[in-house]
Amino acid sequence: MANKAVQDFYPESLSYCYGCGRLNEKGLQIKSYWDGDETVCEFKPQPHHTAIPGYVYGGLIASLIDCHGTGSAALAIYRHEGRQMDSDPPVRCVTASLQVQYLHPTPLGQVLQLRGEIKEVKGKKVTTEITLSADDQVCAKGEVVAVQVDEAWIAKYFSK
Amino acid sequence: MANKAVQDFYPESLSYCYGCGRLNEKGLQIKSYWDGDETVCEFKPQPHHTAIPGYVYGGLIASLIDCHGTGSAALAIYRHEGRQMDSDPPVRCVTASLQVQYLHPTPLGQVLQLRGEIKEVKGKKVTTEITLSADDQVCAKGEVVAVQVDEAWIAKYFSK
């Protein structure tokens, strides 16, 4: 399988998330990929995603870290279980907790890069550390604890 | 002065924040008020602010907590200094760190209430604890550490 985004394998009815749902036309539609042992996501904020003039809104930064965190958690569970992303049952995680430290104002107008490091996969719980950079400057760091939603729950919504 | 939102006193050029800027037409335009010794904010998510079907997107929850946290910090600084919100210099805070715990899925389709408790005002740094509730059920809790941006920085952008 070529390097594909985990969000492209979410079941249709779980693909409307504002942050990462490929079917939410008003959403951010972020994508999370493996890059070696790290996960990556790139996103270019729009002009209205401003906070103070010229800089990116902190809530968007939190949203990107959140959604790349849950995407990274799903990637990690597939790899941990030695499974391909098109195998059943599909993996979908939700956020249990999110921490963000704003280290440096994030400039608007360029592509942001998020990199995720999987710290722990423990049962259904995955802890990921995320950095968000602009032009190789780390602007924010975050930790996302994500939890896999169980198969019964997935089945309820699963309409592939 | 009647009970007004702190965001209505932000200088014009600092009022384009996606979360709380009254002049950002595409933004959320949240408002933060005092209610006794707590701060309050109400917001009704739109249908596209979904995560899993029927529930609110976690990134929006983080955004609301973030912006109500910085708004609450500004309210707290005015009160701490015994000043009215229309006095100079205007107070504007940015987020240093944000923590969010997702305790319960947040239902979509109703008004969410955020309540802030000021934990500490220490120089330019304000720590606030925020709860986010739907129908009196606490769905998320957060802590926001916000920092007042200094007067020189304000003056640079200030165009009242």
Side-chain angles (χ1 to χ4, degrees):
Chain A
M1 186 185 300
N3 194 9
K4 290 190 175 176
V6 71
Q7 288 86 1
D8 290 333
F9 296 91
Y10 289 171
E12 184 180 328
S13 35
L14 297 178
S15 291
Y16 288 91
C17 172
Y18 183 80
C20 63
R22 65 184 183 276
L23 302 177
N24 189 328
E25 290 178 5
K26 295 185 177 176
L28 307 175
Q29 299 195 351
I30 73 154
K31 305 279 188 188
S32 301
Y33 303 86
W34 280 118
D35 180 19
D37 287 334
E38 291 188 345
T39 63
V40 294
C41 166
E42 293 192 336
F43 184 82
K44 186 174 182 183
Q46 298 299 304
H48 61 271
H49 289 136
T50 189
I52 56 176
Y55 296 97
V56 177
Y57 168 53
L60 179 71
I61 290 169
S63 299
L64 296 173
I65 289 174
D66 177 18
C67 262
H68 184 52
T70 54
S72 297
L75 284 167
I77 288 173
Y78 279 117
R79 184 174 279 190
H80 190 71
E81 294 182 354
R83 292 207 279 134
Q84 297 292 319
M85 291 191 284
D86 57 358
S87 63
D88 281 324
V91 176
R92 187 74 167 86
C93 297
V94 297
T95 313
S97 72
L98 167 69
Q99 287 180 36
V100 181
Q101 290 175 282
Y102 298 92
L103 305 172
H104 197 80
T106 304
L108 200 60
Q110 55 187 277
V111 174
L112 306 179
Q113 186 173 67
L114 294 104
R115 298 192 72 86
E117 186 182 343
I118 311 299
K119 302 305 289 185
E120 187 180 47
V121 180
K122 192 172 181 182
K124 294 184 180 298
K125 195 171 86 170
V126 181
T127 304
T128 308
E129 282 184 8
I130 312 273
T131 58
L132 180 147
S133 304
D135 234 353
D136 294 330
Q137 161 91 57
V138 175
C139 299
K141 284 187 179 181
E143 184 189 89
V144 178
V145 178
V147 177
Q148 184 179 4
V149 287
D150 67 22
E151 291 181 40
W153 190 89
I154 286 270
K156 185 176 167 190
Y157 291 105
F158 189 46
S159 64
K160 194 163 70 176
Chain B
M1 186 185 299
N3 194 9
K4 290 191 175 176
V6 70
Q7 289 86 0
D8 290 332
F9 296 90
Y10 288 170
E12 183 180 329
S13 35
L14 297 177
S15 292
Y16 288 91
C17 171
Y18 183 80
C20 63
R22 66 184 182 277
L23 302 176
N24 188 329
E25 291 177 4
K26 295 185 177 176
L28 307 175
Q29 300 195 349
I30 73 154
K31 305 279 187 188
S32 302
Y33 303 86
W34 281 116
D35 180 18
D37 287 335
E38 292 189 343
T39 63
V40 294
C41 166
E42 293 193 337
F43 185 83
K44 187 174 181 183
Q46 298 299 304
H48 60 271
H49 290 137
T50 189
I52 57 176
Y55 296 98
V56 177
Y57 168 52
L60 178 71
I61 290 167
S63 299
L64 295 173
I65 289 174
D66 177 18
C67 262
H68 183 52
T70 54
S72 297
L75 284 168
I77 288 173
Y78 279 117
R79 183 172 280 189
H80 190 72
E81 295 182 353
R83 292 207 279 135
Q84 297 292 318
M85 291 191 283
D86 58 359
S87 62
D88 282 324
V91 176
R92 186 74 167 86
C93 297
V94 298
T95 313
S97 72
L98 167 70
Q99 287 181 35
V100 182
Q101 290 175 282
Y102 298 92
L103 304 173
H104 197 79
T106 304
L108 201 58
Q110 55 189 276
V111 173
L112 306 179
Q113 187 174 67
L114 295 104
R115 298 193 72 85
E117 186 182 343
I118 310 299
K119 303 306 287 186
E120 187 180 50
V121 180
K122 192 173 182 182
K124 293 183 179 299
K125 196 170 87 171
V126 181
T127 304
T128 307
E129 283 184 7
I130 312 272
T131 58
L132 181 146
S133 304
D135 235 353
D136 294 329
Q137 161 89 57
V138 174
C139 298
K141 284 187 180 183
E143 184 190 87
V144 178
V145 179
V147 177
Q148 185 179 5
V149 288
D150 66 22
E151 290 180 41
W153 189 91
I154 286 269
K156 185 177 166 191
Y157 291 106
F158 190 46
S159 65
K160 193 162 69 174

